[in-house]
Amino acid sequence: LAPTEGSPFPLLFRLDEDPGELQDVLAAEPGEAARLLAALCAWDESMPIPQSDVIQSDRDLRNWEQLFEQLGYVDRDRKKPK
């Protein structure tokens, strides 16, 4: 898998073994990553409007930022990913 413009490089975690998402297993499980990506792409194609065409409002962006902060993915003081 390779990154696409505007999206982060994909990561793969085994949440049953690594709930803190500390160990990326993408390189160790390329087949599973490909299967999951294919399922995600199929789901996206089945939607009336592909996710890539959805324009998020300022409110949506603020809500996502707040959620990421609450989950600990963003440092609240610096507004940067951890």
Side-chain angles (χ1 to χ4, degrees), residues 1-13 24-27 33 37:
L1 300 173
T4 58
E5 188 174 325
S7 69
F9 194 83
L11 301 171
L12 181 63
F13 301 99
D24 178 15
V25 296
L26 181 68
L37 180 59

Side-chain angles (χ1 to χ4, degrees), residues 2 8 12 20 24 32 37 49 52-53 57:
L12 181 63
D24 178 15
E32 182 67 1
L37 180 59
I49 300 173
S52 59
D53 291 347
S57 69

Side-chain angles (χ1 to χ4, degrees), residues 2-80:
T4 58
E5 188 174 325
S7 69
F9 194 83
L11 301 171
L12 181 63
F13 301 99
R14 294 198 51 90
L15 297 178
D16 58 339
E17 297 172 9
D18 180 20
E21 299 178 353
L22 301 174
Q23 185 174 353
D24 178 15
V25 296
L26 181 68
E29 302 205 29
E32 182 67 1
R35 182 189 72 78
L36 292 169
L37 180 59
L40 179 61
C41 290
W43 171 81
D44 187 45
E45 288 294 320
S46 73
M47 296 291 105
I49 300 173
Q51 182 65 29
S52 59
D53 291 347
V54 173
I55 298 173
Q56 300 214 355
S57 69
D58 288 339
R59 184 188 70 202
D60 291 334
L61 296 174
R62 285 191 306 274
N63 288 343
W64 279 114
E65 184 175 295
Q66 183 180 20
L67 176 62
F68 290 144
E69 286 176 0
Q70 291 170 349
L71 292 171
Y73 290 117
V74 176
D75 184 331
R76 290 180 184 181
D77 297 328
R78 296 189 185 115
K79 298 287 186 195
K80 292 182 182 177

